[in-house]
């Protein structure tokens, strides 16, 4: 497992050297946590777990997350995996630059959007390599991609309806919140990898244009990480 310091972030952010993020540059789940850490101005040590090389299956990594998924955050003696759990942990331990609004209705909406991305969209295309291969073999060539696209579109149609009465610059208003932390990498990933026609989702398309201008989002993108592909 490659061990790297994210020196740019270290130079510009508050010092909290005990935070270590095990992650992979092209993982959307990892991207959520990098985005949140950047928004909160928290410095962290970047530890690359290269999923393409199968580094998530090492004995060392299994001790951190028996499920063998990234991201994993280590904060002193606290080890948390799963991006939603990590976000809720960060929100409590580091309340600066709140990622959940006080208003209960908007707070619930933010949690709902995060949960839909986390539970009802990303897992369906994350399994691409295994499930899609099997679908391609059993049903036919190209069917795996079609299945992923229909799962993503089902989720996006729901998200579009959920946020349409709240979205302005961002998904639930003028400030970036947890809904955006989950939506931004999700939209970026499906645009890059799954050839989704975003014209069917005007609200999501609009907020995605806003995300692209946010420095903390850009700094958390796969291309901006210390070693491309790790
Ligand atoms: N619900 C988890 C999902 C984590 C997850 O799916 N991680 C993927 C990368 S985005 C992974 O580590 N995959 C490794 C594998 O499939 O072996 C979260 O939100 O953190």
């Amino acid at each position: 497992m490659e061990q790297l310091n994210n020196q740019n972030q270290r130079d510009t952010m508050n010092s909290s050297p005990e935070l270590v993020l095990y992650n992979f540059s092209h993982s959307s789940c990892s991207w959520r946590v990098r985005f949140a850490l950047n928004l909160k101005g928290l410095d962290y040590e970047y530890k690359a777990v290269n999923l393409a090389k199968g580094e998530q299956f090492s004995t060392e990594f299994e001790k951190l997350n028996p499920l063998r998924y990234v991201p994993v955050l280590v904060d002193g003696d606290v080890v948390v995996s799963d991006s939603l759990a990590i976000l809720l942990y960060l929100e409590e331990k580091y309340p600066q630059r709140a990622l959940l609004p006080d208003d209960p209705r908007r707070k619930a909406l933010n949690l709902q959007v995060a949960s839909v991305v986390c539970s009802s969209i990303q897992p369906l295309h994350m399994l691409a390599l295994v499930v899609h291969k099997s679908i391609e073999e059993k049903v036919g060539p190209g069917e795996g991609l079609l299945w992923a696209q229909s799962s993503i579109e089902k989720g996006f149609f729901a998200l579009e309806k959920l946020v349409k009465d709240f979205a302005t610059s961002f998904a639930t208003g003028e400030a970036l919140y947890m809904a955006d932390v989950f939506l931004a990498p999700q939209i970026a990933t499906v645009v890059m990898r799954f050839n989704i026609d975003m014209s069917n989702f005007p609200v999501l398309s609009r907020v995605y244009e806003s995300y692209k201008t946010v420095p903390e989002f850009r700094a958390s993108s796969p291309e901006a990480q210390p070693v491309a592909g790790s």
Side-chain angles (χ1 to χ4, degrees):
M1 203 179 302
E2 203 163 351
Q3 185 171 327
L4 295 162
N5 290 335
N6 193 336
Q7 194 60 47
N8 290 342
Q9 290 168 342
R10 197 171 285 280
D11 289 345
T12 55
M13 295 183 175
N14 297 343
S15 182
S16 40
E18 71 272 23
L19 287 175
V20 180
L21 183 65
Y22 290 81
N23 73 123
F24 179 55
S25 57
H26 283 72
S27 138
S28 63
C29 310
S30 302
W31 193 347
R32 298 165 193 160
V33 179
R34 296 193 298 260
F35 188 16
L37 288 165
N38 290 352
L39 285 170
K40 286 184 173 290
L42 292 167
D43 187 15
Y44 62 96
E45 185 179 349
Y46 186 112
K47 287 207 178 181
V49 181
N50 191 324
L51 301 185
K53 291 186 183 160
E55 290 179 351
Q56 70 274 36
F57 301 114
S58 73
T59 315
E60 189 193 343
F61 186 68
E62 194 198 357
K63 285 183 197 147
L64 292 171
N65 184 4
L67 209 48
R68 297 169 167 178
Y69 288 161
V70 290
V72 177
L73 182 79
V74 179
D75 183 9
D77 59 359
V78 176
V79 180
V80 198
S81 56
D82 196 296
S83 60
L84 186 53
I86 294 171
L87 264 281
L88 293 173
Y89 171 80
L90 288 174
E91 197 58 9
E92 193 161 323
K93 176 93 186 276
Y94 304 98
Q96 69 265 30
R97 180 62 186 81
L99 293 175
L100 285 171
D102 290 334
D103 169 49
R105 183 168 148 158
R106 261 173 221 270
K107 187 176 185 174
L109 178 63
N110 271 274
L111 290 169
Q112 187 177 357
V113 169
S115 182
V116 167
V117 170
C118 215
S119 311
S120 303
I121 300 179
Q122 183 270 339
L124 300 174
H125 63 74
M126 190 276 290
L127 291 172
L129 292 178
V130 183
V131 176
H132 291 193
K133 191 163 176 278
S134 162
I135 292 175
E136 301 268 327
E137 280 167 11
K138 291 185 178 144
V139 186
E143 295 296 327
L145 177 63
L146 287 176
W147 180 80
Q149 286 170 329
S150 69
S151 307
I152 293 161
E153 283 171 356
K154 181 182 174 198
F156 274 20
F157 276 118
L159 289 171
E160 183 87 5
K161 285 186 184 149
L162 280 172
V163 301
K164 77 173 170 20
D165 294 335
F166 296 86
T168 56
S169 296
F170 300 115
T172 65
E174 275 310 295
L176 279 162
Y177 282 122
M178 200 176 285
D180 305 294
V181 168
F182 281 73
L183 268 178
Q186 181 61 51
I187 299 173
T189 299
V190 306
V191 166
M192 285 187 283
R193 288 202 231 146
F194 291 92
N195 196 22
I196 294 291
D197 180 4
M198 286 301 291
S199 67
N200 291 320
F201 312 105
V203 181
L204 297 186
S205 297
R206 195 180 74 226
V207 295
Y208 184 48
E209 289 308 307
S210 304
Y211 298 146
K212 288 194 238 171
T213 69
V214 174
E216 293 88 345
F217 178 60
R218 293 154 71 111
S220 61
S221 71
E223 300 72 31
Q225 301 320 299
V227 175
S230 290

